Structure formats: structure tokens, C-alpha cells
């Protein structure tokens, strides 16, 4: 890179042990700390919002109720009557991801949803849950779904592997979608921010031109706010869709 | 519903354990480049373990404490609104019934008053008719009495007329002739004359 300044856009994703040796021993990096912060923020929002428990809600309570009803409607509409049982899970998932995405947008913070290990763990959890629910509610008929209805039996050797492959790729696509979106957004932030620093080394002209990347970063922030909620929504709605298939008879 | 919730919890636990194991045994093949793919780094897999714990706690707190609170408030509100509507509906029903009763009572009272009026009129008319009949009867009787009295008086007058005629005839004859007429003959002649006059 220009100016010999070694700006590493991937450096922001590095994990560092906190509390020195204790963090090393407990494998505790800043990522779980931000998870705790995100969870506490969501819980505080709900707690403070619902503390009045008023019949006519105030602003914060109305916001908390909107969040509740948004996810509840999504879960029940998508999954069906059994959706109410999965609603707390979908709610947890959605707000865990949303809070993670949004906390990561604060300067000097860390985005735990930009780690494939985290997103894949979440996706695998959804996948395992949907398989467990499928086996529980459909039994062995679950495996019949790998052979599409009405297809010629001669196509079975072709169709069944394809179906199994597409089924198994669900957690992969689910996790990579979120991970890639978060990484891409933060890399873009870093690149344009480093442009500003590079331009600053060119004197006054550079200072003037540095307005461009800053403006782009402002626009990127707006985009990332959209992406943050959109990815959380996509993750939650796909979870609902997988669970609907699982409970469908 | 209860079973489903249990299933969710069991699934969460199972997958949390599964992910931890999987992540812990993943090879560190991508040590270069992205820090996220450096699975040899214990911190990368460590965040999965911590994340599983944090997610589980988050799930439990939400599903046990927070979300029931929200749903309770929402249910309370829905219940309150529906019960208020119910009360309003009942009040409207009562009011409608009261109005109907009032109108019925008014109608009844009106018809009763009409009947009473009719009855009073009828009684009055009957009483008047009876009084009229009584008066008529009394008048008829008085007329009859009066006529009777008049007839009696007339008969008496007529009876007296014969005596007066006899006396007058006797006095006339005596004045004209200077002789006292035979009372027998005078009576006979007056009888005859009055009989002719009566015819």
C-alpha cells in the first residue's frame, strides 16, 4: 500500500485475549464480551421498555412491543400454529444477530457476527434443531422428503443426492451469507477509512480529497444499518421456513 | 405446545454441544489470511463455546422472563379492550331494552287511557240516557196527570155548566113571563138543547 503504511483491513477481525492470562486460559476474547454487551442491551431494552407495563404504552414500551409482535407475527405466520413454541428461539436468534451487527457498527467495537465460527455455530444450531424437530414430528417420513413427489423413480439416483446436498448446504449458506455480509461491510469501512489516512499524508490537497472517502463511509454506514437488520431478518425468516418444513405433516 | 418447547430446548442444548465439539476439532488449515479462519487459534473456537453459553442464557432469560412479560401486557390489553367492549355492548343492550320497555309502557298507558276514556264516555252517555228517560217518564206522568186533572176539571166544568144553564133558563123564563117555570120541564128542555148542541 501507498506511503508504506501497512494498513491491514483484516486486522479488525483479530481476536485478543482479555484479562491477560485469564483470557488465554478461558479462551475469552473481546468477541464474547461484545456478545454479553449485545445481550445485556437487548435485555435492558426489553426490561426498561416493559417496566411500566402500561395499557397505553409509552415510546419505549411501544418499541419493545413492536419488536415482540414483529417476531411473533413472523414466527406464527411462517411456521404455522406451532410457531408460538419456536417464537422465543426465533426472537433470541434475531436479536442476538441484530444486536451483534449493530454493536459492530460503533467505532472501536467488534462485530462477533463477522466470525464464521459464530455464524456457522448459529446456523448449525438452527439446522440441528430443524432436523430434531423434523424427526420428532414426522418420524421416518422425514426422509421421504429427499425424494420429490411425482418424480420418476429412474431419476431417484440423481435426485436424492441433489436433495440431500441442498439440505446439507443450508447451514453453510445461512452462515456464509451473514458472515460475508458483515466482513464485506467492515472491510469496506476500513478501506475507505485508510484512504482518508493515506490522503492526509499528501498535504492540503489530500485533506480536501479526503472528504470523498469520508462521505462514502457515511453512506456505507447507512447501508450497513440496512444490511445489519436485513441479515438478521433473513437469518430469522429462513430459520422459520426450515422449522415450518420440520413441523409440516 | 409444551412438548415443542421442550424439543426446542433439547435441540438447543444438543446443537450447542455439537458445535463446540465440531469447532474444537476443526483443523487450522487456513492459518494465513483471515483471522476468522484461523481455527488453530483457541480464541476463535473459544468464542463458539462462550457464544453457546451466552446464547443459551439469553434464550432462557427471554423465554422465561422477558417475553412472558411482554405477552402478559399484550394479553392484558387485548383482554381489557374486549371486556370494555363487552361492557359497552351490554350497556347498549340494556339501554335498548329500557327504551323498548318505555315505549311499550307508553303504548300500554295510552291504550289504557283510551279505554278508560271510552268507558267514562259510555257511562256518561248511559247515565245521560237514563236521566233523560227518567225525566221523560216523569214529564209523561206529569202530563198524563195534568191531562187527567184537566179532563176532570173539564167534566166538572161541564157538569156545572148544566146547572148554570138550568138556573139561567129558569131566571130568564121568570123574567120574561113572570112565572116560575116548571123545573122538570126546564131541565128537560136544557137537556135537549145541550144534546143538540153537542151533536
Amino acid at each position: 500500500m501507498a506511503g508504506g503504511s501497512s494498513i491491514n483491513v483484516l486486522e479488525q477481525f483479530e481476536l485478543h485475549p482479555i484479562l491477560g492470562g485469564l483470557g488465554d486460559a478461558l479462551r475469552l476474547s473481546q468477541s464474547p464480551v461484545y456478545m454479553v454487551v449485545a445481550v445485556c442491551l437487548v435485555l435492558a431494552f426489553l426490561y426498561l421498555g416493559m417496566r411500566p407495563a402500561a395499557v397505553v404504552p409509552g415510546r419505549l414500551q411501544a418499541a419493545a412491543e413492536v419488536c415482540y409482535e414483529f417476531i411473533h407475527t413472523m414466527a406464527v405466520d411462517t411456521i404455522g400454529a406451532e410457531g408460538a413454541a419456536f417464537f422465543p428461539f426465533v426472537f433470541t436468534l434475531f436479536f442476538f444477530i441484530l444486536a451483534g451487527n449493530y454493536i459492530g457498527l460503533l467505532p472501536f467495537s467488534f462485530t462477533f457476527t463477522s466470525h464464521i465460527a459464530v455464524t456457522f455455530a448459529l446456523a448449525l444450531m438452527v439446522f440441528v434443531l430443524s432436523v430434531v424437530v423434523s424427526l420428532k414430528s414426522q418420524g421416518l417420513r422425514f426422509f421421504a422428503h429427499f425424494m420429490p413427489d411425482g418424480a420418476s423413480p429412474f431419476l431417484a439416483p440423481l435426485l436424492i443426492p441433489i436433495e440431500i446436498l441442498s439440505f446439507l448446504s443450508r447451514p453453510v449458506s445461512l452462515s456464509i451469507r451473514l458472515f460475508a455480509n458483515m466482513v464485506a461491510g467492515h472491510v469496506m469501512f476500513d478501506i475507505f477509512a485508510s484512504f482518508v489516512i493515506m490522503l492526509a499524508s499528501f498535504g492540503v490537497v489530500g485533506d480536501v480529497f479526503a472528504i470523498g472517502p469520508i462521505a462514502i463511509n457515511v453512506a456505507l454506514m447507512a447501508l450497513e444499518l440496512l444490511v445489519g437488520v436485513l441479515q438478521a431478518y433473513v437469518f430469522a425468516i429462513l430459520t422459520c421456513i426450515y422449522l415450518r418444513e420440520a413441523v409440516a405433516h | 405446545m409444551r412438548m415443542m418447547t421442550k424439543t426446542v430446548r433439547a435441540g438447543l442444548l444438543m446443537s450447542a454441544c455439537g458445535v463446540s465439539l465440531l469447532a474444537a476439532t476443526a483443523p487450522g488449515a487456513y492459518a494465513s489470511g483471515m483471522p476468522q479462519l484461523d481455527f488453530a487459534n483457541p480464541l476463535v473456537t473459544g468464542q463458539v463455546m462462550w457464544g453457546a453459553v451466552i446464547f443459551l442464557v439469553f434464550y432462557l432469560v427471554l423465554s422465561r422472563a422477558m417475553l412472558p412479560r411482554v405477552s402478559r401486557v399484550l394479553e392484558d390489553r387485548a383482554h381489557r379492550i374486549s371486556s370494555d367492549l363487552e361492557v359497552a355492548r351490554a350497556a347498549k343492550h340494556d339501554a335498548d331494552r329500557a327504551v323498548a320497555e318505555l315505549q311499550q309502557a307508553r303504548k300500554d298507558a295510552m291504550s289504557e287511557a283510551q279505554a278508560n276514556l271510552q268507558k267514562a264516555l259510555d257511562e256518561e252517555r248511559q247515565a245521560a240516557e237514563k236521566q233523560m228517560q227518567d225525566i221523560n217518564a216523569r214529564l209523561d206522568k206529569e202530563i198524563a196527570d195534568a191531562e187527567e186533572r184537566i179532563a176532570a176539571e173539564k167534566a166538572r166544568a161541564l157538569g156545572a155548566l148544566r146547572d148554570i144553564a138550568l138556573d139561567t133558563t129558569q131566571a130568564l123564563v121568570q123574567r120574561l113571563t113572570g112565572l116560575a117555570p116548571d123545573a122538570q120541564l126546564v131541565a128537560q128542555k136544557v137537556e135537549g138543547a145541550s144534546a143538540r148542541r153537542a151533536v
Side-chain angles (χ1 to χ4, degrees), chain A residues 4 20 25 34-35 38 43 55 62 67 69 76 99 116 119 122 124 126-128 131 133 160 168-169 221 246:
Chain A
Y34 276 99
M35 288 180 195
L43 290 178
V55 174
C67 291
E69 287 188 328
V76 173
I116 184 74
T119 62
L122 289 172
L124 201 63
V126 169
F127 180 75
V128 171
V131 171
V133 172
I160 290 173
L168 291 179
S169 66
M221 181 59 90

Side-chain angles (χ1 to χ4, degrees), chain B residues 46-121:
Chain B
Q47 64 180 338
V48 174
M49 295 190 321
W50 283 107
V53 173
I54 292 164
F55 191 89
L56 191 68
V57 170
F58 190 33
Y59 173 76
L60 289 177
V61 173
L62 280 177
S63 64
R64 294 280 171 86
M66 286 301 169
L67 297 178
R69 267 178 61 165
V70 182
S71 78
R72 214 160 37 234
V73 169
L74 293 178
E75 273 166 20
D76 273 0
R77 180 176 308 147
H79 179 73
R80 186 141 165 196
I81 287 171
S82 68
S83 68
D84 280 3
L85 274 177
E86 199 60 46
V87 166
R89 224 171 271 136
K92 189 184 177 297
H93 183 252
D94 285 357
D96 284 352
R97 221 178 45 201
V99 166
E101 272 172 12
L102 186 68
Q103 274 172 352
Q104 185 63 41
R106 240 184 72 183
K107 222 156 69 181
D108 287 355
M110 241 167 83
S111 61
E112 199 182 335
Q114 194 69 41
N116 280 343
L117 189 66
Q118 196 62 44
K119 212 172 95 187
L121 279 174

Side-chain angles (χ1 to χ4, degrees), chain A residues 10 13 26-27 31-32 35 39 46-47 50-51 54-55 61 65 68 84-86 89 92 114-115 121 125 183, chain B residues 1 4 8 12 15 19 35-36 42-43 45 47 50-51 54-55 58-59 62 69-71 73-74 77 80:
Chain A
L10 294 175
F13 302 118
L26 294 173
R27 297 182 166 193
S31 172
M35 288 180 195
V39 165
L46 285 177
Y47 178 76
M50 295 315 292
R51 199 167 50 171
V55 174
Q61 190 186 336
E65 286 175 9
Y68 178 96
F86 296 107
F89 174 66
T92 310
S114 69
H115 266 256
M125 175 175 68
V183 169
Chain B
M1 199 74 164
M4 278 301 181
V8 171
L12 282 177
S15 43
V19 166
Q36 292 100 316
L43 293 176
T45 49
Q47 64 180 338
W50 283 107
I54 292 164
F55 191 89
F58 190 33
Y59 173 76
L62 280 177
R69 267 178 61 165
V70 182
S71 78
V73 169
L74 293 178
R77 180 176 308 147
R80 186 141 165 196

